[in-house]
Amino acid sequence: MPTIANLRVYEGEDRTLTLYARDQSNLPLSLTGATIQWRIGHPPYQKDSSGTSLSKTATISDSTNGIFTVAISAVDTQFMTPGDYLHQSWITTASAQTYLINEGRFRIRPWNST
């Protein structure tokens, strides 16, 4: 069962998101030798990824404790319509198994200068 993480950013914001991989007992999932793909869209869970608006490769920052980050740059979201999207993190383990480890709402808030 994936960990639920609801995230918020402003359109056109540089941001590094920190996410956590957990096993079914809610213990940290080892990320040793794994790769993680993160994506957002309407909805990103379609097998062909046709609904994906943005896709990134995550950086594993603490493999023992299941911590990884996703860097979002201003250009990634500056032209996306503010509102709610879905996000997901998919892990491919060292033994080539792929499964969902995170999902939730990804809200892009309008950047108001006033």
Side-chain angles (χ1 to χ4, degrees):
M1 173 175 238
T3 302
I4 303 298
N6 294 316
L7 308 170
R8 294 179 295 190
V9 300
Y10 285 102
E11 62 181 330
E13 175 183 26
D14 286 320
R15 184 89 178 271
T16 299
L17 307 170
T18 301
L19 296 161
Y20 304 88
R22 302 281 183 209
D23 66 14
Q24 292 179 340
S25 300
N26 201 31
L27 297 172
L29 181 67
S30 174
L31 302 176
T32 302
T35 58
I36 301 171
Q37 285 300 122
W38 180 84
R39 58 187 179 167
I40 65 172
H42 294 296
Y45 54 81
Q46 296 174 0
K47 293 255 187 219
D48 66 359
S49 299
S50 62
T52 301
S53 299
L54 175 64
S55 182
K56 297 278 187 170
T57 299
T59 300
I60 296 170
S61 53
D62 185 342
S63 61
T64 302
N65 292 307
I67 302 171
F68 61 98
T69 60
V70 177
I72 306 287
S73 66
V75 297
D76 291 331
T77 61
Q78 77 183 58
F79 298 113
M80 291 179 72
T81 303
D84 288 345
Y85 296 78
L86 300 174
H87 80 89
Q88 294 180 325
S89 303
W90 289 85
I91 186 172
T92 301
T93 65
S95 60
Q97 294 177 322
T98 300
Y99 55 94
L100 181 66
I101 55 171
N102 281 125
E103 66 181 348
R105 179 177 47 214
F106 184 81
R107 178 170 287 169
I108 298 177
R109 298 181 284 185
W111 189 267
N112 296 323
S113 58
T114 58

